[in-house]
Amino acid sequence: MVSPLETFYARVARGQARTGIGYGAIKPKLPVNYRELTSTVIGDLSRIPLLELPPGFNYTAISIVGQSMSDGNPVPGDHDGMATFVGPRGTTILVRNHELDPDENEFGNTSGVIAPPEKKYDQINAGGTTTLVVGPARRLVRDYASLAGTIRNCAGGPTPWGTWISCEETFNRGDVGVVRHGYNFEVPANAEIGLADPIPLKAMGRFSHEAVAVDPATGYIYETEDRGDSCFYRFVPAVGKPNAPGQLVQGGKLYALKVVDKPTLNTTNNPNSGGSIGLVPVGVPLKVEWVPIDNPDPDVEDKAQGLGVRYEAQSKGAAIFYRGEGAWYAKGLIYFVATQGGPPAVDSTRGNGQVWVYDPKAETITLLIEAEPSGEILDEPDNITVAPFGDLFLCEDGGGEQFVVGVDTKGELYQFARNAYNESEFAGACFSPDGQTLFVNIQSPGITFCIWGPWLGKR
C-alpha cells in the first residue's frame, strides 16, 4: 500500500471526503448454513440474519459458544483474535483466542477453556485458545482446546513458522503471589487435537498485551499494549530469525519505539489525553529509534516509582499511544491501531481511533488514518487485518452498532459488514491462506463467521 498511500495523504491534505462505496450497500442476510442453527445455547438462530453484507457475499456461522467440540468440551465464550494457516487436504486451520476472566459465567460456561491440570498455566483461569479445522465448503471439520489456564487472551498474531502467539491483556489477575500473568504464549497450528505446553514468553515483556505482528524478513516481533498510556514494542529473538515452534523460549531483547528528537511524544492528538490537536499530522512520516527495556518482567507496575515496562520505556523517551490494539504485517509494513487515539469525539473526551503504519526499512511511523470526531466513518477500530488484494479491514469496538470497516487502496473507508444480531464487537478478522474467505467473530455470545464473495469486484 506504500504507493496508494501517497494518493490517500494528498486527498486528506485537500480536505476531500474519505468515504467510499466499497462493495455496495449492506443488507441483512441469513447464514448459508441456517438450517444447522435451530438449537444452540443462545437459542434458535435459523431465522435470524446475523450479519449485513454487500451484494454477492455470503457466510456460514460456525463454532458457536456452548456447542460441543471434537474434544468433548463446550466451545468457550468471548471469541477474539484469530489467524489462519494452511491445513491438510484443502482445509484451513484457524487458531482463536478467548478473552475470558476466571469469574465469567456466560451461558453456564463456568469453566472456560477446559484442559487437564498439567496442561493449564493457572488452575483458576478460564482463558486460552481453541483451534478450528475448516473445510473448503466453510463448514467445521474439527475443533478443540489448544491453550488453557491463561487470562483475557485478547489478540495476538501469526508467525511465519506456523504458530499463533496468544497475548494476555492483563498485568496479573491470577493467583496473586503464586502465578504471574501478563505474558505471551506460543500455540502451534495443528490439525489434530492437542494442547500446547503453556510456557510464558517472559522476555517478550510482562504488560497488558494486545497483538503482535512478525516481520518475516528479520524475525522481529512487534507488540502493542492496551493501555491509555501504552507504548509500541519490538522484540528481537535471541535465536536470530526463528524458523520453528518453541524457539522463542530462548529469550531475546525487548525495545520500545521512540520518535527521534521528540522524547515521550504523545501521539493521541487529544488535549484530554496529554496530547494536542494536530500535533501529529496524517501522512507525515516520523523518524524513529528504539530504546532498550532492561527489565521486561517487572514484579509490579508503579508510575510514581517508574516501575513497569511502559514506565521504563517512557523514562527513556518512548512514544505514547492511546490503547494500542490490533497489529498486522503486510508487504514489508507493520500496521497497528490506537483504538481511542485522535481528537476528542463529539460524545466523549477520548478519540475515535487511529491507524498507524511502521516502515522497518525507513525506520519511520506514519499516522495513516485518524477517525473523525463524529465517528460516522470509523468508531474505535480494534483488530486489523490486511487483505491479499491490499484493503485494510478494521473491527470496530465502539458503542452502538458495530461494523467491519474496509479501507481500499485509494484510502477510502467503507462499511463492509454490520453485526445484525446485537451490539457486541467484531474481533479476529483474518483471511484464509488462499485469500477467498474472511473469518471474523462477534465476541459475545461468541460466533465465528466465514465470509466469501467477489473480493476483486469494484470498490
Side-chain angles (χ1 to χ4, degrees):
M1 289 188 67
V2 175
S3 179
L5 290 184
E6 297 176 2
T7 302
F8 171 68
Y9 295 147
R11 288 166 53 84
V12 173
R14 292 194 296 268
Q16 295 177 330
R18 294 182 290 161
T19 305
I21 61 171
Y23 292 95
I26 59 177
K27 295 181 179 180
K29 288 192 173 183
L30 286 171
V32 170
N33 63 332
Y34 67 92
R35 292 185 180 90
E36 304 165 15
L37 308 179
T38 56
S39 180
T40 75
V41 171
I42 53 179
D44 182 357
L45 301 180
S46 64
R47 300 179 182 181
I48 301 175
L50 304 175
L51 295 179
E52 291 185 7
L53 293 172
F57 284 87
N58 288 292
Y59 68 100
T60 56
I62 63 172
S63 195
I64 299 171
V65 62
Q67 291 181 325
S68 180
M69 295 194 296
S70 304
D71 62 6
N73 296 312
V75 175
D78 282 15
H79 299 13
D80 214 295
M82 301 190 296
T84 65
F85 306 84
V86 175
R89 297 178 293 280
T91 62
T92 296
I93 297 173
L94 187 66
V95 186
R96 179 182 63 194
N97 275 1
H98 296 274
E99 192 184 16
L100 289 163
D101 288 317
D103 54 354
E104 288 197 50
N105 182 17
E106 291 187 292
F107 309 102
N109 186 23
T110 57
S111 50
V113 181
I114 298 174
E118 67 274 13
K119 284 291 188 177
K120 294 191 70 172
Y121 176 68
D122 181 340
Q123 299 306 312
I124 74 166
N125 276 297
T129 66
T130 52
T131 297
L132 288 62
V133 180
V134 183
R138 288 103 176 174
R139 299 300 204 279
L140 189 65
V141 175
R142 184 180 303 111
D143 56 348
Y144 63 91
S146 48
L147 176 71
T150 51
I151 183 172
R152 296 192 58 79
N153 298 73
C154 194
T159 71
W161 52 92
T163 64
W164 165 254
I165 297 177
S166 184
C167 302
E168 292 188 309
E169 188 192 344
T170 186
F171 183 75
N172 201 356
R173 297 297 301 279
D175 289 326
V176 178
V178 179
V179 180
R180 293 158 69 103
H181 286 268
Y183 300 115
N184 294 339
F185 295 79
E186 188 173 24
V187 182
N190 296 324
E192 301 302 323
I193 295 174
L195 282 151
D197 292 326
I199 302 172
L201 302 174
K202 296 184 178 182
M204 293 184 71
R206 185 186 183 207
F207 54 85
S208 186
H209 290 273
E210 179 70 24
V212 304
V214 184
D215 183 350
T218 59
Y220 294 173
I221 302 174
Y222 295 89
E223 309 180 62
T224 57
E225 179 181 23
D226 191 356
R227 293 296 300 255
D229 56 348
S230 68
C231 295
F232 183 63
Y233 302 97
R234 178 166 76 185
F235 176 70
V236 179
V239 296
K241 188 161 67 172
N243 57 19
Q247 294 179 340
L248 295 178
V249 298
Q250 299 180 40
K253 185 64 179 177
L254 187 66
Y255 300 84
L257 180 143
K258 174 186 176 182
V259 177
V260 174
D261 299 327
K262 295 182 179 180
T264 325
L265 175 67
N266 191 311
T267 65
T268 61
N269 285 343
N270 189 336
N272 298 316
S273 308
S276 58
I277 293 176
L279 177 64
V280 181
V282 172
V284 178
L286 303 173
K287 292 292 292 184
V288 302
E289 57 188 352
W290 297 87
V291 297
I293 302 300
D294 298 321
N295 183 11
D297 188 19
D299 295 329
V300 298
E301 287 185 317
D302 189 306
K303 184 175 183 178
Q305 299 184 56
L307 300 176
V309 173
R310 69 185 180 282
Y311 299 133
E312 179 187 340
Q314 291 162 21
S315 73
K316 297 177 178 179
I320 297 172
F321 300 88
Y322 202 123
R323 293 192 60 200
E325 292 209 84
W328 203 264
Y329 168 87
K331 297 181 180 179
L333 301 174
I334 306 291
Y335 296 86
F336 67 98
V337 173
T339 291
Q340 291 175 334
V346 294
D347 58 353
S348 172
T349 58
R350 303 172 302 198
N352 282 326
Q354 299 170 318
V355 180
W356 294 83
V357 59
Y358 165 67
D359 185 336
K361 290 185 177 180
E363 282 294 352
T364 60
I365 58 166
T366 304
L367 179 55
L368 172 63
I369 297 166
E370 189 163 68
E372 301 291 342
S374 66
E376 292 180 6
I377 303 175
L378 183 64
D379 183 12
E380 296 190 17
D382 187 336
N383 289 173
I384 182 174
T385 193
V386 182
F389 47 88
D391 287 18
L392 307 182
F393 284 85
L394 304 166
C395 296
E396 286 191 332
D397 184 18
E401 295 184 318
Q402 301 295 297
F403 294 89
V404 174
V405 177
V407 186
D408 65 23
T409 53
K410 296 177 291 185
E412 294 179 337
L413 283 73
Y414 59 92
Q415 292 177 340
F416 172 74
R418 186 182 81 86
N419 177 356
Y421 179 71
N422 59 19
E423 294 184 347
S424 177
E425 68 181 276
F426 279 107
C430 56
F431 277 83
S432 58
D434 65 5
Q436 298 302 304
T437 305
L438 173 65
F439 296 94
V440 70
N441 302 313
I442 54 172
Q443 184 174 89
S444 181
I447 305 174
T448 296
F449 301 105
C450 317
I451 304 171
W452 68 95
W455 295 114
L456 299 183
K458 186 176 180 180
R459 305 186 300 291

